Amino acid sequence: MLRIDEQFDAAGGPRLPSDEPGSFERQHHLVNRRRADAKILLHVGFGRRPAVQARVEVNKRQILALLRREGFCGATHAGHPIQLFVRASNEEEARMNVRYRVELSQTERAELTALLSGGRHAARKLKRAQILLAADAGASDDDIATSVGVGGSTVYRTKQRFVLGNLEAALSEEPRPGASRKLSCKEEALLVATACSKPPQGRARWTLELLAGEIVRLTEHDSVSRETVRRRLAENDLKPWRRDMWCIPQVDGEYVARMEDVLDLYAEEPDPKRPVVCFDESPTQLIGEIRQPIPAAPGQIERYDCEYKRNGTTNLFIFLDAHRSWRKVKVTNSRAAVDFAACMRELTDVDFPEAERIRVVLDNLSTHFPGSLYQAFPPCEARRVLRRLEFHYVPKHASWLNMVEIEIGVLRSQCLDRRIATPEQLVSEIAAWERQRNASGARIKWMFTTANARAKMGRAYPEPIGAKSPSAKES
């Protein structure tokens, strides 16, 4: 049973909405969505006089504006309330009969608009904000439910929580009932420790099923679901079925010296007489098709057979100028010392014949040393080439400091990410890619400097012996 108080007007009837000014505390509209008729009981009291009761037959589709006004004082019957009782078939029907009107303030409207304009928020919160803005604009509940993509009850509850509460109550989640956590704090710690330990014998890694069975074995639980294990691991950011391969370097004086030497080369101004060239090699496979692929057509993607033919391997020597848009790729059958020596002589005599000194950045492969030139050429020829070369080695396990590694990734993604069957086709395709990339002016923009290294890796730097302060003696 719903009760709403109303004031009399001067004629003795209930005062209905009009254009006259007045202060409103809250305005409700009562709507009954069923087709049957309802009986409305009017209970009217006039001071000490007996109350007058009357039943009025109305259609539940009608909208009765029920206003509660303050400060009204008519000529007669001032202060005598009309009590309106609406009888519904059940409590849920009576509750759903109330239609709440949303009237946002300018501040609330700006807050909702800012919420929808950007940032990461829960989808439910964004939908509630859309409901409130649409309701404030005068849209009907059915239109709001259709446009936002929610049910009518969601629209109703959002408007109800705003009218009876505030904007924060309308946007936030209510506490949801649910079962308590199955694992206690100690059991969760046991689960984490188990996931970080070695898997059982005969298994390569822990799985959710294995962990659930292990927790059942170690605790008094009769069963633990896979989802319970997954949630607890996710809370601790654990994925025991994944592994990353990482070479952990030893940051000592040699590591720091080589790193800063290479970084200082990258930071220098371009000098045609003393260019900086990054060098590395990369093996690649020659793979041919067993069956001819079916080319793409409108409405159908390209299709190829999973079976292929392996035609051997080749090696790619890659050169990259650190300060200008120039790169070169040389295809060879091997990467022995003589191949490395031939690349270095070609670099000095063909690629940079006018340079006085070529600074070459390279890794610590066994063939990347001056001795390889003496294995390939006579001593006088080897010495002639080496006089124009200056080798700068990156630290061990720090190939990321070699700028050419980035260029190798670009080459593989743009040109080699397919099946190439013959060395001739490989040479032709790489040459076309090389010409296009050099002509486009593309170059690597290196951002990591010596100052960045000292700031980010300062704690890993070795501490000079002379810088260690002697411990203070107790007096």
Side-chain angles (χ1 to χ4, degrees):
M1 184 174 291
L2 182 67
R3 171 176 175 175
I4 299 180
D5 293 338
E6 181 69 19
Q7 297 288 341
F8 272 118
D9 63 7
R15 187 177 182 90
L16 298 177
S18 64
D19 296 335
E20 299 177 6
S23 61
F24 297 85
E25 181 182 47
R26 183 170 293 166
Q27 180 170 344
H28 296 286
H29 294 277
L30 297 185
V31 178
N32 195 305
R33 298 170 183 167
R34 300 187 179 267
R35 297 179 179 272
D37 292 340
K39 291 183 179 180
I40 296 181
L41 176 64
L42 295 178
H43 184 92
V44 184
F46 301 94
R48 298 178 180 178
R49 300 181 183 180
V52 179
Q53 297 184 0
R55 281 184 170 83
V56 183
E57 298 286 343
V58 297
N59 191 286
K60 289 186 178 183
R61 291 184 177 182
Q62 295 177 342
I63 300 177
L64 303 179
L66 304 176
L67 308 178
R68 183 178 181 179
R69 307 187 179 185
E70 295 181 353
F72 173 78
C73 182
T76 58
H77 311 304
H80 300 288
I82 292 180
Q83 298 175 357
L84 177 64
F85 296 83
V86 180
R87 302 182 188 274
S89 59
N90 52 52
E91 182 180 353
E92 178 68 17
E93 182 180 352
R95 183 179 63 82
M96 293 296 292
N97 280 343
V98 180
R99 175 171 292 174
Y100 295 94
R101 172 174 295 177
V102 174
E103 295 179 355
L104 298 172
S105 65
Q106 187 64 30
T107 303
E108 294 170 337
R109 195 176 296 111
E111 183 177 347
L112 292 177
T113 303
L115 178 69
L116 294 174
S117 62
R120 297 182 62 181
H121 305 282
R124 294 189 182 94
K125 188 172 185 178
L126 296 177
K127 286 183 179 293
R128 294 188 187 105
Q130 293 172 348
I131 291 172
L132 294 176
L133 288 174
D136 180 62
S140 64
D141 289 0
D142 293 338
D143 292 340
I144 296 174
T146 302
S147 61
V148 180
V150 296
S153 60
T154 301
V155 178
Y156 173 82
R157 287 194 300 269
T158 303
K159 296 168 65 175
Q160 179 191 44
R161 292 170 65 183
F162 174 77
V163 173
L164 301 182
N166 52 30
L167 182 61
E168 183 63 27
L171 294 178
S172 60
E173 290 276 353
E174 291 182 344
R176 297 186 179 187
S180 58
R181 286 178 176 246
K182 190 166 187 176
L183 300 181
S184 64
C185 294
K186 291 184 178 180
E187 292 168 343
E188 288 184 16
L190 178 62
L191 173 63
V192 171
T194 304
C196 295
S197 64
K198 290 184 178 181
Q201 188 176 7
R203 301 300 293 264
R205 60 189 60 85
W206 284 107
T207 64
L208 297 180
E209 290 79 6
L210 283 177
L211 288 171
E214 188 69 10
I215 292 301
V216 170
R217 188 182 69 84
L218 296 175
T219 62
E220 297 180 355
H221 292 289
D222 295 332
S223 65
V224 175
S225 69
R226 182 179 184 274
E227 183 64 14
T228 297
V229 175
R230 188 195 67 80
R231 288 176 181 269
R232 300 294 84 79
L233 292 179
E235 290 176 358
N236 292 275
D237 196 20
L238 273 177
K239 298 179 181 179
W241 52 89
R242 295 187 59 184
R243 292 191 305 169
D244 284 337
M245 180 179 292
W246 181 40
C247 295
I248 304 176
Q250 180 182 358
V251 182
D252 53 11
E254 182 67 20
Y255 185 100
V256 172
R258 291 189 177 189
M259 178 180 64
E260 294 197 352
D261 176 51
V262 172
L263 293 179
D264 287 344
L265 285 179
Y266 295 161
E268 289 182 4
E269 292 295 328
D271 185 0
K273 295 295 183 180
R274 295 172 57 85
V276 177
V277 178
C278 300
F279 173 83
D280 203 359
E281 65 280 313
S282 178
T284 186
Q285 294 190 73
L286 298 175
I287 298 176
E289 300 284 358
I290 299 296
R291 298 171 184 85
Q292 190 65 23
I294 301 175
Q300 180 174 298
I301 62 175
E302 180 185 5
R303 293 180 292 177
Y304 64 96
D305 190 48
C306 62
E307 187 178 1
Y308 61 88
K309 179 172 60 176
R310 191 171 181 270
N311 297 329
T313 61
T314 58
N315 182 69
L316 306 179
F317 286 111
I318 302 98
F319 302 85
L320 175 72
D321 194 318
H323 294 127
R324 66 186 181 99
S325 177
W326 178 85
R327 73 270 303 140
K328 176 183 175 181
V329 182
K330 183 179 180 180
V331 181
T332 61
N333 293 326
S334 61
R335 57 172 186 174
V338 293
D339 299 305
F340 171 75
C343 287
M344 292 299 103
R345 184 166 66 173
E346 188 174 334
L347 181 66
T348 58
D349 298 348
V350 178
D351 300 323
F352 295 90
E354 304 297 330
E356 297 175 355
R357 197 80 167 177
I358 304 172
R359 278 87 60 82
V360 183
V361 178
L362 66 174
D363 58 21
N364 298 270
L365 192 65
S366 59
T367 59
H368 293 177
F369 289 93
S372 297
L373 278 78
Y374 284 90
Q375 296 180 30
F377 309 128
C380 58
E381 179 66 10
R383 194 70 238 159
R384 181 189 69 84
V385 175
L386 287 174
R387 285 195 185 100
R388 299 185 55 209
L389 295 176
E390 183 180 298
F391 292 151
H392 296 260
Y393 296 97
V394 298
K396 292 182 179 180
H397 303 306
S399 59
W400 58 272
L401 283 168
N402 197 341
M403 196 183 293
V404 76
E405 294 285 348
I406 302 174
E407 192 68 18
I408 292 175
V410 176
L411 170 62
R412 294 205 169 276
S413 63
Q414 293 184 354
C415 179
L416 303 181
D417 190 18
R418 51 181 165 162
R419 293 177 180 176
I420 299 178
T422 62
E424 294 77 17
Q425 182 186 2
L426 179 65
V427 171
S428 175
E429 294 292 340
I430 289 179
W433 173 85
E434 180 185 312
R435 288 193 301 269
Q436 295 170 6
R437 189 153 172 82
N438 286 337
S440 66
R443 58 182 297 265
I444 306 299
K445 186 178 181 181
W446 190 264
M447 305 294 292
F448 193 67
T449 64
T450 301
N452 298 140
R454 293 174 181 175
K456 295 183 178 181
M457 303 173 59
R459 290 185 294 179
Y461 272 47
E463 185 177 355
I465 298 177
K468 295 181 179 179
S469 57
S471 56
K473 295 182 180 180
E474 296 183 359
S475 56

